[in-house]
Amino acid sequence: MNKVFFIGLALVFVVSCKSINNSKSEVHPEIGKMAEDVRNETLRSWQAYKKYAWGHDALAPLSKTAKDWYEEPLYISPIDAYSTLFMMGLEDETRLIEAYVADSLNFDKNLDAKVFEVNIRILGGLLSMYELSRNAAVLEKAKDFADRMLPAFDTKTGIPKYWVNLRTGQARGDTVNVAEAATYTFEMGVLSYYTQDPKYYQAGKKATLAIFDRRSEIGLIGDVIDVETGEWVSTQSHICAGVDSYYEYLYKSYLLFGDQELGRLWQESIQGINTYLAEIYNGKLWYGRADMYSGEKTSSRITLYDAFFPAILGLSGDTTRATQLQHSWDYLWKLNGLEPMVYDYKTSASSYPAYDLNPEIIESAYYLFKITGDSSFYKMNAQYWSDIKKYCKTDMAFTSIKDVATKEQKDYMPTFFFAETLKYLYLTFTEDQQSYPFNDYTFNTEAHPFKRSHFDKNLAADYLGFE
Ligand code: DMJ
């Protein structure tokens, strides 16, 4: 009798364990151990945001307080986090964000927002929320937000001013860097496609052409410009922070919408970049700084944002340079187990040694792993993730680092950690190849995904208003 009872009990135990495992794998089939680890850490950090900073822009994980960018919150962390949580299958969380955006989010706020930053995070985030959910109320919010941004583009050159007031449309700030000047074709193009109204893409493209048309005879651009006079304020040419996403959007907007003109701009630009900015130093490929008119090298100071470049080189077909450059960045990461914000590849000095949980080196390793199939790129991301957990993890989330040498922690978890860093790690590690195949998606510079097959090239020409 006892024997039968115990066999029965054992059977119940086996069956119930099986059903626990099954329910886990039903939630997310075949994501693999590493991906599950990233997903668990994402959920843990997200729950910390919800507990201590819900409704605000970002979490300060050490003090367990909320941080806002402006006088009033714009809900930036949830908007930025949405597409990552969605791709990880965290449905309860995405439903919560979607409902808040649709029912409660109101952009009628008397505050001056940074046009560049809110474009890539808020507009880009809302558009991908619509792309993934097809919730019409979310598209309405995105359109409302873009309409509040558009007055900034009303300048003599078409390059937007630095700030725009979300309530009054009053814009200010005549001096902008190139990334702030011309990182709009992607989001504005997506919005034009969804609304079939070309005015958004046309505004973004005008700003991009205003930069490209001011290139020098050797095909280089400066890095800071006056939006009213169109004069270069700084004639230093580079692909670093302050310029980076301008180049990224030439290629990605061409790829997503098929605008050949942007494809041509990319082809012309990359020639100048490879001729004048690339250099081999101590056997490693780097992209430094040069004068836009003479092409003479002016500096070997780079920023960790530049590590986006292997991804875009790889995507555009130059896997040789992409691979070489990624190995240079990998070398730099491994010097300290994290990479510094600013670094001079000739003196090895860092004038700004912080690491803010930035994604770029991880983004490039992900792209190159998918493009080449070479597992050394997978291993790079495994190493970066292990180092991030070692140095940036807190009792409740992750935080930025003041100095990569000392590993002293700051009290801030940037919104792009949710949007980009965790997403690219997850996509590298997941064994689920079905849900989000690499070749089907193009990401904005904040890693918000858009499915290529959703954008018909002929319709795009019509809806966006290009030839
Ligand atoms: C992100 O906000 C975007 O990727 C931007 O284009 C530059 N880099 C930051 C994160 O490092």
Side-chain angles (χ1 to χ4, degrees):
M1 180 69 184
N2 263 354
K3 208 174 165 193
V4 172
F5 174 77
F6 280 116
I7 291 172
L9 198 67
L11 264 176
V12 169
F13 179 73
V14 168
V15 169
S16 66
C17 283
K18 212 169 167 231
S19 77
I20 290 169
N21 284 336
N22 275 349
S23 69
K24 204 178 200 179
S25 61
E26 268 161 24
V27 173
H28 227 68
E30 299 167 17
I31 69 166
K33 259 197 158 157
M34 292 279 285
E36 189 155 348
D37 183 34
V38 176
R39 187 169 175 267
N40 289 340
E41 289 299 328
T42 305
L43 189 55
R44 194 178 69 94
S45 306
W46 171 250
Q47 279 163 348
Y49 164 81
K50 276 203 304 188
K51 183 164 182 193
Y52 296 103
W54 176 255
H56 293 275
D57 290 336
L59 170 72
L62 297 185
S63 58
K64 300 182 174 35
T65 55
K67 289 257 192 285
D68 288 317
W69 284 23
Y70 308 108
E71 304 87 295
E72 291 181 70
L74 287 175
Y75 203 58
I76 305 176
S77 274
I79 295 173
D80 241 3
Y82 180 92
S83 59
T84 299
L85 300 173
F86 191 101
M87 290 175 116
M88 291 179 179
L90 296 165
E91 285 168 23
D92 290 348
E93 311 306 325
T94 53
R95 262 197 296 269
L96 184 77
I97 300 172
E98 217 180 294
Y100 185 91
V101 166
D103 304 336
S104 313
L105 193 59
N106 177 9
F107 291 123
D108 183 27
K109 292 179 192 284
N110 188 17
L111 59 86
D112 290 0
K114 289 183 189 172
V115 179
F116 164 78
E117 293 292 354
V118 296
N119 175 61
I120 63 172
R121 301 183 200 219
I122 297 182
L123 184 58
L126 290 175
L127 289 168
S128 79
M129 198 181 294
Y130 173 68
E131 163 82 16
L132 295 165
S133 68
R134 294 289 150 172
N135 180 338
V138 172
L139 180 59
E140 269 312 302
K141 295 284 172 183
K143 186 178 168 309
D144 170 65
F145 192 75
D147 288 337
R148 293 171 190 278
M149 284 171 57
L150 275 187
F153 290 75
D154 188 14
T155 60
K156 289 203 184 96
T157 57
I159 298 171
K161 295 206 182 212
Y162 188 86
W163 306 92
V164 69
N165 186 291
L166 293 184
R167 177 169 295 160
T168 65
Q170 184 100 27
R172 65 185 171 90
D174 285 2
T175 307
V176 298
N177 67 39
V178 165
E180 292 153 357
T183 302
Y184 303 97
T185 47
F186 194 96
E187 293 79 8
M188 294 292 185
V190 169
L191 183 57
S192 281
Y193 193 91
Y194 290 155
T195 58
Q196 302 181 21
D197 183 345
K199 78 173 175 205
Y200 304 104
Y201 185 67
Q202 291 305 315
K205 191 169 171 183
K206 188 174 175 195
T208 293
L209 290 173
I211 292 296
F212 183 77
D213 290 345
R214 286 171 174 79
R215 70 195 180 283
S216 68
E217 278 180 7
I218 59 172
L220 294 181
I221 54 169
D223 62 347
V224 182
I225 197 160
D226 184 307
V227 305
E228 292 296 352
T229 65
E231 299 286 327
W232 288 111
V233 174
S234 163
T235 58
Q236 190 170 223
S237 204
H238 55 84
I239 57 139
C240 312
V243 174
D244 48 359
S245 44
Y246 159 73
Y247 289 120
E248 182 182 350
Y249 275 18
L250 293 181
Y251 192 76
K252 285 187 174 175
S253 304
Y254 155 70
L255 194 63
L256 190 62
F257 310 124
D259 185 342
Q260 301 296 328
E261 191 177 3
L262 291 190
R264 184 177 59 76
L265 265 50
W266 162 259
Q267 286 307 335
E268 278 194 39
S269 302
I270 192 64
Q271 280 175 27
I273 290 171
N274 281 330
T275 308
Y276 297 104
L277 304 182
E279 73 174 325
I280 302 286
Y281 186 77
N282 272 349
K284 291 186 183 58
L285 175 64
W286 296 107
Y287 285 78
R289 297 169 191 247
D291 179 81
M292 67 177 275
Y293 296 110
S294 68
E296 270 171 38
K297 291 267 175 356
T298 51
S299 168
S300 44
R301 193 167 39 87
I302 53 175
T303 70
L304 58 73
Y305 286 22
D306 320 3
F308 83 102
F309 210 56
I312 208 75
L313 283 172
L315 193 63
S316 63
D318 188 351
T319 44
T320 307
R321 280 195 187 84
T323 300
Q324 223 183 331
L325 185 58
Q326 182 65 13
H327 281 286
S328 304
W329 281 102
D330 186 55
Y331 155 83
L332 181 51
W333 179 285
K334 284 176 181 157
L335 284 182
N336 286 292
L338 294 172
E339 55 184 351
M341 195 65 70
V342 179
Y343 178 76
D344 190 311
Y345 58 80
K346 287 193 176 158
T347 65
S348 303
S350 171
S351 55
Y352 185 17
Y355 172 66
D356 289 342
L357 295 166
N358 307 78
E360 289 80 359
I361 192 172
I362 294 165
E363 170 184 3
S364 283
Y366 161 66
Y367 272 67
L368 291 175
F369 174 53
K370 292 294 170 181
I371 292 168
T372 66
D374 179 345
S375 63
S376 65
F377 298 114
Y378 180 102
K379 286 182 194 144
M380 285 180 191
N381 271 351
Q383 182 65 51
Y384 307 152
W385 176 229
S386 152
D387 291 334
I388 287 173
K389 283 195 292 183
K390 192 164 167 193
Y391 301 121
C392 310
K393 193 168 166 177
T394 74
D395 60 337
M396 49 180 291
F398 287 82
T399 201
S400 305
I401 297 292
K402 204 171 194 171
D403 186 328
V404 294
T406 65
K407 314 291 188 303
E408 188 189 340
Q409 293 188 336
K410 293 199 250 181
D411 188 17
Y412 192 66
M413 182 169 66
T415 73
F416 55 69
F417 181 61
F418 280 127
E420 301 190 69
T421 314
L422 291 165
K423 183 185 285 129
Y424 287 129
L425 286 165
Y426 178 78
L427 290 175
T428 305
F429 302 143
T430 183
E431 288 160 20
D432 167 17
Q433 298 302 316
Q434 307 295 317
S435 304
Y436 299 103
F438 176 74
N439 285 329
D440 270 6
Y441 282 87
T442 307
F443 299 87
N444 88 331
T445 190
E446 193 75 359
H448 294 305
F450 295 88
K451 198 171 183 161
R452 284 186 209 167
S453 53
H454 286 173
F455 294 84
D456 178 278
K457 302 280 188 290
N458 292 322
L459 292 178
D462 196 18
Y463 298 163
L464 277 62
F466 62 80
E467 307 268 297

